[in-house]
Each structure stands twice: as C-alpha cells, then as structure tokens.
C-alpha cells in the first residue's frame, strides 16, 4: 500500500511540474503577444495619422481637375 501511495504522489508531482511548465510557457506567449500588439497598435496609429495628413494635403478643388489651358 505504501508503494502505491508513493507512486501516486510521484505521479501527482510529475503532473504538477508539467502544469507549472505549461503555465510558464503560456505566460511567456501572452507577454510576447502583448508586446507585439502594443507595437502593432502604435504602427496603426502612425499610419492613420500619415493617411490623414496625406488626405488633408490632397484636398483639391474641382478646378484642380480641369486640364491646363494649353490643351
């Protein structure tokens, strides 16, 4: 019986170690994804600002679409 109990304890310790390792791995993945998400949000923000600047600079009047007088 003592051997059976010891085997169960060893099995439980093994499973616990495996679950702790999985939790650490998942935490590392979540941290990496958080850093990536922050970087992507920053890039989208910068691109949105650049697009707004370009759209503002490209604001044209209907006169700009007419061909020049020498045509």
């Amino acid at each position: 019986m003592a051997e059976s109990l010891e085997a169960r304890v060893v099995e439980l310790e093994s499973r616990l170690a495996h679950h702790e390792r999985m939790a650490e791995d998942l935490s590392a993945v979540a941290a990496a994804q958080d850093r990536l998400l922050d970087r992507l949000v920053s890039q989208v923000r910068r691109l949105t600002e650049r697009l707004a600047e370009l759209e503002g600079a490209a604001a044209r009047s209907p006169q700009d679409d007419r061909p020049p007088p020498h045509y």
Side-chain angles (χ1 to χ4, degrees):
M1 175 103 176
E3 204 171 292
S4 169
L5 183 58
E6 185 178 339
R8 288 178 59 194
V9 169
V10 168
E11 176 66 23
L12 288 173
E13 288 176 342
S14 175
R15 286 183 182 198
L16 177 62
H18 174 70
H19 286 287
E20 287 176 342
R21 174 62 188 216
M22 275 193 340
E24 290 171 3
D25 291 346
L26 287 172
S27 178
V29 167
Q33 288 180 343
D34 185 53
R35 288 189 301 272
L36 176 62
L37 184 59
D38 287 343
R39 197 167 66 235
L40 291 173
V41 166
S42 176
Q43 285 179 338
V44 167
R45 187 175 295 124
R46 284 194 314 268
L47 288 172
T48 301
E49 290 169 359
R50 284 183 59 197
L51 182 61
E53 289 173 5
L54 290 174
E55 286 176 343
R60 299 170 57 154
S61 69
Q63 286 181 331
D64 294 335
D65 293 333
R66 285 195 253 156
H70 63 279
Y71 277 101

